[in-house]
Amino acid sequence: MGKIKYKFNPESLKYYRVEISVKQKALKGLAYLFAFLVNASIGYLIYSLAFDSPKERGLKRQISEMNLNIEIFNKQLDNIESVLGDMQQRDDNIYRTIFEAEPLNYSVREAGFGGSNRYKELEKLENSKMVINTARRLDVVTKKVVIQSKSYDDLVKMAVSKEKMLGSIPAIQPIANKDLKRTASGWGYRIHPIYKIKKFHYGIDFTAPTGTEIYCTGDGVVQKTESSQRGFGNSIVIDHGYGIRTLYAHMLAFKVKQGQKVKRGDVIGYVGNTGISTAPHLHYEVLRGGEKVNPINYFFNDLTAEEYDRMIDISMRPGQSFD
Ligand SMILES: [Zn+2]
């Protein structure tokens, strides 16, 4: 039921009834409808800008989960890269030094990937920059692992070919020396036990009861057994090859003969007090290229890092040698 409308006529000073045609009514209706539609559209637009649909919310959650995963991957890559870096450093600085091999060329390790764009497919993805970055890091790490593994293969080959050398180099203590209690006097200036003057002591003295077993410290051949009442007393020299020899002095008795092949750890004789010696002990020397060198550097099979430090401490103590 439409309202009845009146209009005031200023000339006749009368109100008169306004007649509205069907056409006008229809136009008015359309105008209302149009306004409603416009309002609704704007409302929906504002709503959808401010609030996501459930589907959008789901997708957004997936994206943020994926981003988190990629971040976790990158953190793991950080760890792997750091472990790998450590392996490379040990490889170059320790293993390759032992085997006298050149460090691996830096450009070999850091070599990139040539050729076409490997990540073209990934460029189409959402977050392509992040994904490509991660993929690239993964490629680099994979390649480094392969190179490192090849380098270790080389080292294994070198170790096998140098096995003889590693077996020959003196690498243990010449007597059982638990807790290093038998280490008495080391390399350096010491008071001579008989002459009572400062003399350079070219070896390490191990105090031990007469008859204690003496071990050969590396594979080799008995070059000389010498029986004497003076100087080194009863002594043995072993030739290890590679220009390295060891000397064992003041022995009670020998268990090997000149020319005999010996292995590291073989008993070659017994601790005594022969020659110029003030108490039963073993005087041990290492010679390289004819020069006497500090034996402390030739116990590496035998000692932990801590024991090694302690042995240096003990053998450095001033005082008297047993000669
Ligand atoms: Zn000595």
Side-chain angles (χ1 to χ4, degrees):
M1 199 179 76
K3 278 188 212 159
I4 297 163
K5 286 195 171 180
Y6 295 90
K7 227 174 179 180
F8 182 70
N9 188 335
E11 282 173 22
S12 60
L13 299 175
K14 276 181 181 169
Y15 284 97
Y16 63 92
R17 206 173 156 160
V18 179
E19 299 291 340
I20 298 164
S21 70
V22 176
K23 195 181 164 193
Q24 277 175 315
K25 275 186 180 168
L27 276 173
K28 212 171 177 180
L30 274 175
Y32 278 129
L33 186 66
F34 181 72
F36 171 78
L37 284 176
V38 168
N39 276 334
S41 304
I42 289 170
Y44 178 75
L45 201 67
I46 289 167
Y47 176 83
S48 64
L49 280 176
F51 307 98
D52 295 329
S53 71
K55 197 181 167 192
E56 280 171 327
R57 276 203 296 276
L59 284 172
K60 277 191 175 168
R61 201 174 53 235
Q62 276 182 23
I63 289 170
S64 77
E65 275 170 10
M66 266 158 60
N67 286 346
L68 188 69
N69 282 338
I70 291 174
E71 240 175 78
I72 290 168
F73 287 150
N74 275 289
K75 287 237 167 70
Q76 286 175 341
L77 276 169
D78 287 345
N79 286 338
I80 292 170
E81 275 170 357
S82 122
V83 169
L84 199 56
D86 190 43
M87 283 162 75
Q88 287 173 3
Q89 207 174 350
R90 282 182 199 213
D91 184 2
D92 286 342
N93 295 341
I94 301 175
Y95 307 130
R96 287 187 173 257
T97 306
I98 289 174
F99 298 115
E100 294 159 328
E102 288 289 308
L104 212 57
N105 195 327
Y106 182 77
S107 63
V108 173
R109 288 200 194 282
E110 299 299 317
F113 299 89
S116 59
N117 185 1
R118 297 163 59 86
Y119 311 107
K120 210 165 185 163
E121 283 302 307
L122 298 177
E123 277 169 7
K124 294 171 195 160
L125 300 178
E126 284 281 335
N127 296 316
S128 64
K129 213 171 162 189
M130 205 168 166
V131 174
I132 288 172
N133 198 28
T134 309
R136 188 174 282 134
R137 286 185 71 192
L138 198 58
D139 277 348
V140 170
V141 164
T142 307
K143 183 163 187 197
K144 281 184 178 175
V145 167
V146 170
I147 290 169
Q148 190 57 52
S149 149
K150 278 190 182 145
S151 173
Y152 281 145
D153 288 348
D154 289 349
L155 284 171
V156 167
K157 275 186 213 145
M158 281 188 253
V160 169
S161 73
K162 298 229 174 184
E163 198 175 19
K164 193 169 172 288
M165 180 182 163
L166 291 174
S168 302
I169 292 172
I172 61 168
Q173 298 176 81
I175 62 164
N177 188 16
K178 204 165 173 274
D179 303 329
L180 306 175
K181 280 182 182 146
R182 287 172 166 175
T183 315
S185 185
W187 175 267
Y189 282 99
R190 296 289 182 280
I191 306 289
H192 192 276
I194 290 169
Y195 308 131
K196 301 291 179 194
I197 51 162
K198 267 201 167 182
K199 266 190 86 182
F200 200 91
H201 188 238
Y202 287 98
I204 291 186
D205 291 340
F206 297 90
T207 53
T210 300
T212 302
E213 288 178 331
I214 298 170
Y215 308 125
C216 177
T217 54
D219 299 354
V221 176
V222 179
Q223 192 189 340
K224 193 171 80 172
T225 60
E226 193 178 332
S227 299
S228 170
Q229 301 298 315
R230 303 190 295 171
F232 286 141
N234 300 332
S235 64
I236 288 181
V237 174
I238 289 174
D239 187 355
H240 299 280
Y242 310 97
I244 295 173
R245 286 181 291 155
T246 48
L247 171 111
Y248 310 78
H250 310 299
M251 293 169 70
L252 173 72
F254 308 134
K255 215 196 158 187
V256 289
K257 291 189 182 109
Q258 200 175 310
Q260 188 177 327
K261 274 191 175 176
V262 284
K263 286 268 177 199
R264 179 182 294 148
D266 284 355
V267 175
I268 55 170
Y270 306 95
V271 170
N273 192 22
T274 56
I276 295 180
S277 168
T278 50
H281 80 286
L282 170 69
H283 172 91
Y284 174 67
E285 287 184 6
V286 176
L287 297 97
R288 199 176 58 206
E291 296 270 320
K292 295 180 180 195
V293 294
N294 192 345
I296 196 90
N297 298 319
Y298 290 87
F299 298 134
F300 45 80
N301 268 19
D302 230 16
L303 302 174
T304 65
E306 282 166 14
E307 286 172 332
Y308 183 78
D309 285 345
R310 248 175 64 221
M311 184 152 195
I312 287 177
D313 269 0
I314 296 169
S315 71
M316 292 274 282
R317 276 177 203 158
Q320 215 164 272
S321 64
F322 290 77
D323 246 59

